[in-house]
Amino acid sequence: MQPSIQFLKPVDAARQLGVSTKALRLYEQRGLVTPGRTSAGWRTYGPDDMARGREIVALRALGLSLGDIGRVLAGEVWQLEPVLAAHQLALEGRIEGAAEAIQRIAALRTDLAAGRRPSVDDLTLALGAGSPPGVAFDLPWPWGGERFELDRVRRLTFIVGPLGSGKTRLAMRLAEVLPNAVFLGLDRLDDDGAAALARIDAEPVLRAQIDRALAWLIEDGAVHSNALLALLAGLYAPGASVVVVDMVEQGLDHATQEAMIAYLRRGDDGIPPLFLMTRSSAMLDLGAVGPGEAILFCPANHSPPTLVAPYPGAAGYEALASCLASPEVRARTAGVVVVRPEVA
């Protein structure tokens, strides 16, 4: 007996592919996948649609824009060459780093065999090689000086909390204590981003980086704006080991936010690890958080910030989710601030 062909609802198809339903809808809008329809008009994803979806997800993971993916799927496979070359370089860099770590550990073992005791610095360097350093400090007001510790700095760390929760003070403190960190505040938008625009015009290397990023973002649905340029100029801060961004979605529309987070997830080598303050569900889709990412939640009652796993039922998940809203809803509360008296 011939087995029946399975057709999936969007939510089930998204779950199997490991993406959000919003991503599926975007793939459809860009003509990359064309799901079937039931007699009632509901979308359904059959085996061919799912196979195409898996191709899209795999190519997305390589860092291709949706425009690039469309061309690859149409037969322009040479679009893959620069992406594969970049991944090869990244892998070779990891191999070199691992080889150096192995040499340091071997040297320590030789010292131990000869009766020489390694220093703490030597042990830290050898055993912690390749791991981003963590951070620890006493929390500023409005907390009571509790100790805050983060085991390591991820590629993307989102900072979320309700109004008045202290998330901005946490972000600024992180920028103070992390070596060579840069805080990118909302003043980046002063005079419609005039300072950032002047810097872009004055720095050819920065201009080239931003032009390359813009080409990817606009092809992925982003809208060109001074707010987008100001954000990119801050992300490509020269010499920064970490960039901490205040309300990363500020001034960006829904499509631009989705394109931006996809761009950041592709791991451009010119952008350091990021701490991103946000309350936008377009920037922080809880169903799309992946490896190398973390979420710091600042509770309304000023309990110490905690890491929250992006899964329903995890401690703090419901409170975290309640702080996020679509860009359209966020726009209705733009400019709302909580003013609290300073303590002496």
Side-chain angles (χ1 to χ4, degrees):
M1 181 177 177
Q2 186 75 17
S4 60
I5 298 176
Q6 185 180 20
F7 288 85
L8 301 175
K9 296 184 294 185
V11 65
D12 296 322
R15 186 179 298 114
Q16 285 198 17
L17 293 171
V19 299
S20 67
T21 54
K22 293 177 186 176
L24 279 184
R25 185 67 62 88
L26 182 60
Y27 301 162
E28 182 182 353
Q29 291 171 353
R30 299 301 294 268
L32 301 178
V33 64
T34 307
R37 298 275 181 164
T38 67
S39 57
W42 299 104
R43 291 174 176 80
T44 61
Y45 291 79
D48 291 343
D49 301 315
M50 293 300 291
R52 174 56 67 94
R54 283 188 283 273
E55 286 183 299
I56 295 168
V57 170
L59 292 170
R60 201 77 158 116
L62 288 173
L64 271 69
S65 71
L66 294 182
D68 289 336
I69 290 172
R71 287 187 284 274
V72 169
L73 295 178
E76 299 181 20
V77 293
W78 55 86
Q79 298 282 342
L80 291 171
E81 166 55 28
V83 177
L84 293 176
H87 272 264
Q88 180 178 334
L89 285 174
L91 289 172
E92 290 172 349
R94 292 176 192 170
I95 291 172
E96 291 175 3
E100 291 175 0
I102 290 170
Q103 290 175 353
R104 284 193 289 267
I105 292 171
L108 289 179
R109 294 182 65 192
T110 300
D111 288 345
L112 283 173
R116 292 189 293 271
R117 179 180 175 180
S119 70
V120 173
D121 288 343
D122 288 338
L123 286 170
T124 301
L125 178 62
L127 300 179
S131 299
V135 62
F137 55 85
D138 294 336
L139 287 165
W141 185 89
W143 292 279
E146 299 96 331
R147 192 69 173 168
F148 172 80
E149 296 184 2
L150 195 61
D151 60 343
R152 61 189 179 91
V153 175
R154 277 76 165 181
R155 186 163 50 86
L156 292 177
T157 301
F158 300 92
I159 302 176
V160 182
L163 290 171
S165 63
K167 59 184 181 294
T168 304
R169 292 177 182 272
L170 173 65
M172 295 176 72
R173 186 67 179 135
L174 283 164
E176 290 174 359
V177 300
L178 285 165
N180 300 316
V182 170
F183 182 75
L184 185 59
L186 294 181
D187 56 356
R188 66 183 183 269
L189 302 176
D190 288 352
D191 297 324
D192 203 19
L197 296 178
R199 182 175 153 232
I200 293 169
D201 288 339
E203 300 179 22
V205 173
L206 177 62
R207 165 57 72 180
Q209 290 174 315
I210 289 180
D211 285 347
R212 186 172 63 250
L214 280 176
W216 196 98
L217 288 162
I218 291 173
E219 192 168 57
D220 222 35
V223 176
H224 189 288
S225 68
N226 287 354
L228 178 57
L229 289 173
L231 176 60
L232 288 171
L235 296 181
Y236 286 104
S241 63
V242 176
V243 176
V244 184
V245 186
D246 188 358
M247 303 312 287
V248 63
E249 66 266 22
Q250 196 74 13
L252 309 181
D253 68 6
H254 197 138
T256 304
Q257 290 182 38
E258 290 186 332
M260 175 57 72
I261 193 61
Y263 179 73
L264 296 179
R265 283 193 167 118
R266 71 194 287 267
D268 188 283
D269 290 338
I271 297 178
L274 302 173
F275 285 85
L276 304 174
M277 277 180 51
T278 185
R279 293 187 64 202
S280 169
S281 58
M283 289 300 305
L284 176 52
D285 181 346
L286 293 174
V289 176
E293 301 177 28
I295 306 172
L296 274 173
F297 178 60
C298 298
N301 65 356
H302 298 145
S303 297
T306 58
L307 288 170
V308 175
Y311 311 113
Y317 177 88
E318 285 73 20
L320 166 69
S322 71
C323 293
L324 299 172
S326 69
E328 293 75 21
V329 172
R330 290 280 297 120
R332 295 204 297 267
T333 59
V336 174
V337 298
V338 170
V339 178
R340 297 180 183 273
E342 295 282 356
V343 292

